[in-house]
Amino acid sequence: MKIAILTSGGDSAGMNAVVRSVVKTGILKGCEMWVVREGYEGLVRGNTEYRQATGMDAPTPNDGSIPDGPTPNILSSLRFGDGKLLKDGTGDYLGGRTLKGRYIVRVGWDDVRGWFAEGGTLIGTARSKAFRTPEGRLAAAHNLIREGIEALVVCGGDGSLTGADVFRAEWPKLVAELRSQSIITDAQAEAHAHLKIVGLVGSIDNDMSMTDMTIGAPTALHRICEAIDNINSTAFSHSRAFVLEVMGRHCGWLALLAGVAGGADFIFIPEQPPKGMPWEDEMCAAIQHHRDIGKRKTIVIVAEGAIDIDLNPIKAEYVKDVLSDRLGLDTRVTTLGHTQRGGRPCAWDRILPTLQGVEAIAALLESTPQTPSYMIGIQENKITRVPLMEAVEMTMAVAQAVSDKDFEKAMSLRDPEFSESLDGFIATASLRLRIALIHMGAPAGGMNAATRAAVRYCLRQGHTPLAIQNGFRGLLDDNVVELSWLGVDSWMARGGSELGTNRTLPSVDLGAVAAKFQQFNLQALMMIGGFEAFNALLILEGGRKHYPAFHIPMVHLPATISNNVPMTEYSLGSDTSLNALVDACDAIKQSASASRNRVFVVETQGGKCGYIATMGALATGACLVYTPEVGMSLNMLRKDVKFLKTRYGLDEKGKSEGRLVIRNEVASSVYTTEVLTNMFKEEGGSLFDARSASLGHTLQGGIPSPMDRARAVRLSLKCMTFIERHHALLEQQPAKARHATGESAAVITIQSSSIEWVPVQEMLKHADMANRRGKESWWSGVKELVEALVGRPALK
Ligand code: ATP
């Protein structure tokens, strides 16, 4: 199949990773891959200018070395292009090829190498007036047929995907017209009777329905949270108020999640205007309340498209005037503007587009004239295919619902994370419980954010949040303190563990732990941590046989950079850690590239769980990855050395790039990082050299990523409602002989597309206790993908 990809509409971080993934996967599946430069505008222009200028057809192969047909031996097809073809963008003559007047260009493997770390879109994007006209689309159809292209991958926002659907629906009519004007032959008309289209959502606003996340939105959120973190310190110093305007004309996702992850005081989003009228009173009352209890700083976030209940725009400047005039606050406005478009993609904006690109090619290869065009989405942790048109229609329905003032409907059309985040932001009710919070194991990004959310939720509900400091050892030493609303104010952006954490399990003295539960009258427990927390929950649940004090709701919120808690596909801290790894590897790769011909062996933490190593390799484009699950063998190393030699041998002389190899710290006790590096050094000879770097504790990350913060809040609030629900069930039993069910000691997990509560005894069946990890690892297939995307033949 001949497949072309284009990026359209506003640029977003991660678009390059999409192009890389689509091109490489397509080649691996034996397809011929093309890119369309400058979005739909390039499709309309095609290669006509080139033909007119030179009197020749555009050269199809980039450098004449593209073999025909499928490429069973991947290595033989590695050398398409020189990696610079599209980075030029000026139409200059490069490597024996010119792009001038050529918008539809065949690409090869090396053309898209190293595209991960680049923001924006290297193949260009445009807003095309011509494509909106029937004549423009007729020209576009002709250009595709002329090059023999049968399928199109479009990465863009809702406008671009609408355009894609219009194009596909109109296609048979366009082909008939081209035929009737004798522009194409009967054979061409027959061969191109159908156009296969798949859409990927590239948009910083996260404004598409039927997917939890759009490509570019996580990076935009990163940029906004960095800005809020920076503003927070100056706001605190001067006791100022800041009004931040963020992007989002029709969608408040960035404003909402920035509000959650940045710990804002008030937010304005298009889907849910403040209900109380006038909103000025509501905002001032909330902020004055925060000031009354001692808050020195105020952050208000306004989405670009924020409106009041009568659809009048709410502008940042006006919000500032209200805060200054009514509350006498020294208030400043910050408009983040185009800095939000992203730049360097964060880890998730490398992983998501890569996985979605693979799915896009699969969808095209399976498509028939009867199947609808799909949009590739994600639900929790599952890559999904949804009918493109349905998603576009649903997205438009949100805007319609807003303009009809049907805000409830607008919210219902957004994904569940959106409305749950909003509920979290404005939670209220009443029930009184003494809830203990404890951190366990190694620190992980998001632990403090989860604690902050739980504390504030507790206070709003009338519960008492009790922090157990320094784990179970601290509990035995009576290190239990009540946390206050203000006391946790700055915890959102803090890495590490504010409560203090260690690996001591309650089994150190279970009877004494039970006595302390009684002494402090604990009515519920939330543990935030990794494998230790899971183990502790198991022990406490088992202890219910002997100690009535443990007959209370107990939850475990997984937080560990290793992501080794069984059954859950995500733990707090793993995103922060992947971002720390990406930052370090980008720097290492730069050094590796500068010194040419160098392999860097990067050692990661993770215990006996290869999650960080594997997903890190996917996010950095590493060429080999070693994990404890797969282990290392002499046979494997022999093949890897051979692969590296072949790969470096294929690089143009003097133009070799540095390559990364990622090795988990305990992938093998014999083939250590040092042994591996020395082996590569020795075997590389004149082709390549090798160095190693150990990332160690840097992987715990400094400031937690916005994703970890936002998920911490969402999952933490779910833990709180779980506790309330199970406490209410217990309350139905006589006070003296309460018996908690197995379900009331559970772990919150993300499994594929949903959030599931798993009783701890059920978790045990899926745990590999000796190796401290789950029995199954959902990412195991990713290792093969990492290696396939660098052209390494599969191990037999
Ligand atoms: P962003 O979310 O960044 O605004 P977008 O994809 O929604 O991205 P648009 O400017 O709406 O951006 O659309 C990009 C291009 O898609 C348009 O310039 C136009 O060429 C094409 N397009 C949009 N809507 C249609 C349509 N109804 N018919 C044909 N083409 C369309």
Side-chain angles (χ1 to χ4, degrees):
M1 194 185 284
K2 288 193 187 188
I3 303 173
I5 175 163
L6 62 83
T7 52
S8 167
D11 70 296
S12 66
M15 279 183 161
N16 292 319
V18 164
V19 177
R20 169 187 181 269
S21 169
V22 164
V23 167
K24 287 196 165 189
T25 311
I27 291 172
L28 286 172
K29 297 280 177 194
C31 303
E32 198 178 291
M33 299 309 297
W34 295 65
V35 296
V36 181
R37 300 169 58 217
E38 317 298 348
Y40 289 124
E41 192 59 26
L43 209 55
V44 174
R45 294 190 189 185
N47 296 331
T48 313
E49 289 166 30
Y50 181 89
R51 284 193 185 88
Q52 283 167 352
T54 61
M56 291 189 303
D57 273 349
T60 23
N62 298 329
D63 59 4
S65 70
I66 299 177
D68 285 332
T71 48
N73 176 5
I74 298 158
L75 287 178
S76 72
S77 65
L78 280 173
R79 272 200 69 185
F80 304 178
D82 58 6
K84 284 196 210 151
L85 176 65
L86 299 158
K87 286 194 190 174
D88 159 50
T90 59
D92 279 357
Y93 199 70
L94 266 179
R97 293 164 287 160
T98 178
L99 287 179
K100 207 171 179 121
R102 293 171 61 199
Y103 290 91
I104 306 181
V105 187
R106 183 165 177 199
V107 284
W109 191 272
D110 279 4
D111 286 319
V112 293
R113 270 190 64 202
W115 279 30
F116 261 133
E118 312 241 4
T121 167
L122 290 164
I123 60 175
T125 180
R127 301 204 195 260
S128 169
K129 280 202 183 113
F131 192 74
R132 287 180 183 270
T133 65
E135 303 77 46
R137 293 194 292 276
L138 190 71
H142 182 208
N143 287 326
L144 284 180
I145 294 174
R146 184 150 36 186
E147 305 298 354
I149 292 164
E150 309 150 70
L152 196 58
V153 182
V154 175
C155 178
D158 56 344
S160 306
L161 298 188
T162 308
D165 202 73
V166 167
F167 196 40
R168 157 145 157 161
E170 232 181 41
W171 184 263
K173 215 174 83 199
L174 296 173
V175 172
E177 190 165 338
L178 289 170
R179 179 66 207 109
S180 72
Q181 292 180 25
S182 299
I183 297 174
I184 57 171
T185 64
D186 277 340
Q188 279 177 314
E190 198 180 322
H192 290 273
H194 301 281
L195 177 68
K196 294 174 176 171
I197 280 197
V198 64
L200 290 149
V201 201
S203 165
I204 67 163
D205 295 344
N206 201 18
D207 55 357
M208 184 62 82
S209 295
M210 298 179 85
T211 180
D212 289 355
M213 193 66 75
T214 62
I215 295 161
T219 304
L221 184 61
H222 264 257
R223 295 295 100 85
I224 295 171
C225 283
E226 279 160 15
I228 297 179
D229 290 349
N230 295 340
I231 283 172
N232 260 330
S233 48
T234 170
F236 184 86
S237 310
H238 295 267
S239 190
R240 267 186 195 143
F242 273 87
V243 183
L244 233 83
E245 187 187 287
V246 303
M247 283 193 176
R249 257 170 303 156
H250 302 291
C251 181
W253 185 86
L254 282 176
L256 172 57
L257 271 280
V260 171
D265 295 83
F266 210 83
I267 56 168
F268 292 98
I269 58 173
E271 295 89 340
Q272 191 82 295
K275 288 200 184 78
M277 273 300 272
W279 61 260
E280 290 89 338
D281 292 351
E282 189 184 333
M283 175 183 76
C284 288
I287 289 169
Q288 189 58 52
H289 176 63
H290 294 172
R291 289 270 167 177
D292 288 345
I293 52 176
K295 223 180 150 178
R296 278 179 63 86
K297 62 180 167 67
T298 301
I299 304 280
V300 176
I301 301 183
V302 185
E304 215 181 343
I307 42 173
D308 69 14
I309 207 144
D310 289 321
L311 309 184
N312 302 307
I314 296 178
K315 290 290 166 207
E317 278 297 331
Y318 178 65
V319 174
K320 177 197 129 182
D321 292 344
V322 173
L323 291 175
S324 311
D325 297 348
R326 292 218 195 165
L327 302 181
L329 295 175
D330 178 5
T331 312
R332 308 291 157 99
V333 171
T334 301
T335 304
L336 294 182
H338 281 79
T339 56
Q340 296 163 84
R341 284 250 166 246
R344 234 181 108 247
C346 67
W348 193 229
D349 268 328
R350 301 172 188 217
I351 293 170
L352 179 67
T354 303
L355 298 176
Q356 288 190 328
V358 172
E359 186 65 17
I361 292 292
L364 285 180
L365 291 176
E366 287 162 25
S367 120
T368 66
Q370 286 74 41
T371 46
S373 299
Y374 285 115
M375 177 188 98
I376 309 299
I378 179 161
Q379 206 179 338
E380 298 298 350
N381 201 37
K382 183 178 165 45
I383 305 292
T384 55
R385 283 182 207 178
V386 295
L388 177 64
M389 208 45 229
E390 227 174 276
V392 169
E393 274 166 10
M394 209 158 159
T395 307
M396 289 176 169
V398 180
Q400 190 56 45
V402 170
S403 60
D404 294 345
K405 300 189 192 172
D406 190 347
F407 300 110
E408 229 165 86
K409 185 171 174 195
M411 284 303 293
S412 72
L413 292 168
R414 292 275 181 233
D415 64 84
E417 182 167 5
F418 193 96
S419 47
E420 280 169 16
S421 295
L422 188 61
D423 289 347
F425 200 79
I426 56 181
T428 50
S430 68
L431 237 179
R432 291 172 196 281
L433 279 172
R434 287 171 66 80
I435 301 178
L437 308 164
I438 189 168
H439 292 178
M440 289 207 65
M447 275 182 157
N448 297 323
T451 310
R452 176 186 186 272
V455 167
R456 293 207 161 171
Y457 181 87
C458 283
L459 294 172
R460 286 219 185 189
Q461 302 287 98
H463 306 318
T464 307
L466 296 162
I468 300 176
Q469 294 171 327
N470 302 321
F472 283 95
R473 199 170 288 287
L475 176 66
L476 296 176
D477 293 340
D478 291 341
N479 287 342
V480 179
V481 293
E482 207 175 311
L483 290 175
S484 70
W485 197 91
L486 200 59
V488 295
D489 196 39
S490 56
W491 285 23
M492 199 50 108
R494 287 206 197 154
S497 157
E498 287 293 315
L499 299 188
T501 179
N502 56 54
R503 296 183 194 275
T504 307
L505 292 170
S507 51
V508 59
D509 189 343
L510 199 57
V513 168
K516 291 294 171 190
F517 270 47
Q518 242 161 351
Q519 179 189 329
F520 290 104
N521 187 21
L522 304 184
Q523 293 168 300
L525 173 70
M526 169 152 124
M527 289 190 283
I528 307 171
F531 208 86
E532 276 82 14
F534 159 62
N535 214 344
L537 185 58
L538 205 55
I539 295 165
L540 293 174
E541 207 274 339
R544 282 175 171 173
K545 285 197 279 297
H546 309 290
Y547 305 105
F550 298 143
H551 281 272
I552 57 173
M554 295 186 283
V555 297
H556 167 205
L557 169 52
T560 159
I561 68 161
S562 325
N563 204 11
N564 61 344
V565 176
M567 297 193 77
T568 189
E569 298 176 8
Y570 167 83
S571 304
L572 297 182
S574 52
D575 185 64
T576 302
S577 183
L578 281 174
N579 276 297
L581 186 142
V582 162
D583 287 349
C585 285
D586 277 357
I588 288 173
K589 214 166 171 178
Q590 210 167 45
S591 144
S593 293
S595 35
R596 310 248 183 250
N597 302 9
R598 181 163 287 177
V599 174
F600 255 98
V601 181
V602 177
E603 185 182 282
T604 69
Q605 284 188 333
K608 290 197 172 160
C609 177
Y611 171 83
I612 285 290
T614 309
M615 297 308 277
L618 188 69
T620 55
C623 63
L624 295 169
V625 56
Y626 298 104
T627 63
E629 287 88 348
V630 178
M632 293 167 77
S633 69
L634 206 51
N635 184 33
M636 178 191 271
L637 294 176
R638 198 165 43 82
K639 291 197 172 166
D640 289 345
V641 165
K642 186 169 167 224
F643 162 68
L644 285 174
K645 279 186 176 172
T646 318
R647 193 61 195 88
Y648 274 97
L650 284 166
D651 285 343
E652 235 174 290
K653 261 214 154 18
K655 288 191 179 169
S656 257
E657 281 186 34
R659 289 187 169 85
L660 290 178
V661 170
I662 297 192
R663 178 186 175 279
N664 164 293
E665 57 189 352
V666 294
S668 156
S669 55
V670 175
Y671 305 114
T672 60
T673 301
E674 196 187 348
V675 170
L676 190 67
T677 312
N678 287 337
M679 187 180 294
F680 287 154
K681 210 183 277 180
E682 179 71 16
E683 295 293 326
S686 60
L687 279 172
F688 58 89
D689 177 23
R691 290 278 194 283
S692 66
S694 173
L695 300 184
H697 284 79
T698 55
L699 285 184
Q700 282 174 5
I703 297 168
S705 74
M707 293 267 289
D708 273 334
R709 297 187 214 179
R711 271 199 162 158
V713 173
R714 182 169 169 238
L715 296 177
S716 174
L717 295 177
K718 277 190 175 288
C719 290
M720 289 295 117
T721 52
F722 175 93
I723 285 174
E724 287 174 340
R725 204 167 57 243
H726 282 273
H727 179 74
L729 288 175
L730 277 173
E731 290 238 293
Q732 293 168 6
Q733 300 178 21
K736 288 253 178 266
R738 284 190 180 150
H739 180 87
T741 59
E743 274 83 48
S744 68
V747 185
I748 188 166
T749 64
I750 292 189
Q751 296 179 34
S752 189
S753 58
S754 58
I755 295 177
E756 304 282 346
W757 282 100
V758 186
V760 70
Q761 289 298 341
E762 174 68 23
M763 291 278 284
L764 185 59
K765 295 181 197 154
H766 298 267
D768 175 349
M769 297 304 279
N771 286 315
R772 295 163 52 84
R773 63 185 185 218
K775 282 183 182 156
E776 308 92 25
S777 47
W778 64 271
W779 63 89
S780 55
V782 172
K783 178 175 152 58
E784 279 152 46
L785 180 63
V786 165
E787 294 178 350
L789 289 178
V790 293
R792 181 191 185 282
L795 267 185
K796 286 282 178 314

